[in-house]
Amino acid sequence: DGAEAPDEGLTPTTAKAVMKELMDTPVRISVSDGRKITGQLWCQDNNRNCILLNVGEVRISEDGEEHRRPLGPLVMVPGKHITKIEASRAQVTVAKHRVVSAPA
């Protein structure tokens, strides 16, 4: 069960903190050409570029067939092409809880 990370009613500062908490967790990134790229979120910069570990991609052809292929051990996904970043609902919930519960 995927959950978009992490913009639901959060301030930009809180959303950034939640993204930091999601580091080292599996994510699925949708890109503008329709591909879904999966891997472990390793880092994200100020331009929304994401570096993922142990990466694969899923492309759905016009006939609806899924085509999967490995992309490599370390891949950078350009932020300008990212349309959505998803993590499991449980991981997003834990990340939000850590951020909200953290001492100021």
Side-chain angles (χ1 to χ4, degrees), residues 29-57:
I29 297 178
S30 299
V31 292
S32 54
D33 65 3
R35 291 178 296 155
K36 306 242 188 257
I37 300 172
T38 59
Q40 182 179 343
L41 184 61
W42 194 50
C43 68
Q44 184 179 39
D45 67 14
N46 289 335
N47 295 319
R48 290 188 44 190
N49 299 315
C50 290
I51 296 179
L52 303 177
L53 302 172
N54 305 317
V55 186
E57 86 170 5

Side-chain angles (χ1 to χ4, degrees), residues 19-91:
M19 284 301 295
K20 284 182 184 178
E21 288 293 327
L22 289 174
M23 295 300 157
D24 297 324
T25 62
V27 296
R28 179 174 53 208
I29 297 178
S30 299
V31 292
S32 54
D33 65 3
R35 291 178 296 155
K36 306 242 188 257
I37 300 172
T38 59
Q40 182 179 343
L41 184 61
W42 194 50
C43 68
Q44 184 179 39
D45 67 14
N46 289 335
N47 295 319
R48 290 188 44 190
N49 299 315
C50 290
I51 296 179
L52 303 177
L53 302 172
N54 305 317
V55 186
E57 86 170 5
V58 176
R59 183 182 297 265
I60 300 176
S61 63
E62 291 179 13
D63 63 2
E65 186 177 341
E66 274 191 7
H67 301 277
R68 296 179 180 270
R69 72 179 180 130
L71 292 181
L74 189 66
V75 171
M76 192 274 286
V77 182
K80 67 182 180 181
H81 297 299
I82 295 173
T83 59
K84 186 189 317 184
I85 301 173
E86 300 174 290
S88 76
R89 187 171 309 279
Q91 289 167 324

Side-chain angles (χ1 to χ4, degrees), residues 7-21:
D7 62 358
E8 300 168 358
L10 300 177
T11 67
T13 302
T14 303
K16 284 181 182 181
V18 171
M19 284 301 295
K20 284 182 184 178
E21 288 293 327

